[in-house]
Amino acid sequence: GAVVSQHPSRVICKSGTSVKIECRSLDFQATTMFWYRQFPKQSLMLMATSNEGSKATYEQGVEKDKFLINHASLTLSTLTVTSAHPEDSSFYICSARDMRGADGELFFGEGSRLTVL
Amino acid sequence: GQQVMQIPQYQHVQEGEDFTTYCNSSTTLSNIQWYKQRPGGHPVFLIQLVKSGEVKKQKRLTFQFGEAKKNSSLHITATQTTDVGTYFCAGGSQGNLIFGKGTKLSVKP
């Protein structure tokens, strides 16, 4: 089946620095990728939809200047947490839609645990 | 690495039949979540189970968390066409969430 790779799996950074997380579809082209955030013991929350070659669509309440999303190619989307603060510490996970299937099957990355000190 | 296996990958049922999807983890989980994704949509949170042996019901859906907290199941009684979609389990472990590959359910009217 399709594989979505996410990197890094864990990152620790100092407050005020920026962190980039990559999401790659390894064996299919994904015109659309999604970024989610999960707080401890809570459900997944959709942050934004990343569209190849165009601007990302952000969900209500998500700061676009804080969470920069770039989808420069059909296999790569990146999420940059800018000027990270401790409250940005969370589990971030991406998914990519494989449009080869009739319904656009969704595949998830392994997630990235961000800890901001 | 840690894995969450979900079976079956696909299930085709006649409307009115029951449906079950199973999740198995290679390690003990702190909790398990279930999501439903309608075709073309996003996963929508259904429920979270935390306790060993926990059973929760939502109308025709029954969720179970195994005694060892390594497996879980979702059972739908008397499926309806509105149940169509992909059901994902996600195991919580060490602060991370590991998704199964999902079970795609189709229901024939």
Side-chain angles (χ1 to χ4, degrees):
Chain A
V3 177
V4 174
S5 174
Q6 202 171 326
H7 177 81
S9 57
R10 288 182 181 274
V11 57
I12 300 172
C13 70
K14 291 183 180 179
S15 188
T17 59
S18 295
V19 173
K20 182 186 284 189
I21 302 169
E22 293 185 347
C23 181
R24 291 181 188 274
S25 57
L26 296 186
D27 57 356
F28 68 99
Q29 294 182 330
T31 53
T32 306
M33 290 185 176
F34 306 94
W35 287 96
Y36 308 84
R37 181 174 182 177
Q38 191 227 0
F39 292 100
K41 299 182 180 179
Q42 294 186 27
S43 66
L44 215 58
M45 180 190 81
L46 178 65
M47 297 174 66
T49 301
S50 166
N51 301 297
E52 188 269 335
S54 65
K55 289 183 180 180
T57 305
Y58 290 81
E59 296 299 303
Q60 193 171 8
V62 179
E63 298 175 61
K64 59 180 71 174
D65 295 330
K66 173 77 171 173
F67 299 100
L68 298 179
I69 291 172
N70 185 286
H71 195 154
S73 79
L74 287 169
T75 58
L76 174 64
S77 175
T78 60
L79 167 68
T80 302
V81 183
T82 62
S83 187
H85 289 283
E87 57 266 28
D88 299 323
S89 298
S90 192
F91 184 71
Y92 295 87
I93 193 166
C94 70
S95 69
R97 200 182 292 284
D98 183 355
M99 294 306 297
R100 292 174 297 180
D103 298 323
E105 204 167 346
L106 212 58
F107 293 92
F108 286 88
E110 308 96 328
S112 300
R113 162 69 53 190
L114 170 63
T115 304
V116 184
L117 302 175
Chain B
Q2 214 161 5
Q3 286 187 323
V4 171
M5 307 298 290
Q6 192 173 351
I7 57 168
Q9 191 175 355
Y10 301 97
Q11 185 78 59
H12 310 284
V13 300
Q14 194 74 38
E15 189 172 22
E17 291 181 340
D18 292 354
F19 158 76
T20 306
T21 172
Y22 301 90
C23 244
N24 288 289
S25 168
S26 55
T27 58
T28 303
L29 301 169
S30 57
N31 62 80
I32 194 148
Q33 299 180 353
W34 284 92
Y35 292 80
K36 177 184 178 181
Q37 181 206 356
R38 291 184 184 277
H42 291 283
V44 172
F45 177 75
L46 294 177
I47 208 160
Q48 178 172 266
L49 304 174
V50 178
K51 297 178 186 174
S52 167
E54 191 170 11
V55 177
K56 286 188 177 180
K57 291 194 175 187
Q58 289 180 350
K59 297 183 181 177
R60 293 178 294 105
L61 277 61
T62 302
F63 304 84
Q64 288 188 310
F65 200 11
E67 293 290 340
K69 300 181 78 172
K70 294 177 79 171
N71 56 72
S72 180
S73 65
L74 156 60
H75 179 81
I76 302 179
T77 305
T79 55
Q80 299 175 357
T81 54
T82 52
D83 295 326
V84 162
T86 301
Y87 293 84
F88 290 96
C89 64
S93 178
Q94 299 177 333
N96 295 341
L97 200 62
I98 308 159
F99 273 80
K101 294 202 170 182
T103 296
K104 189 172 181 179
L105 172 65
S106 61
V107 179
K108 190 184 290 186

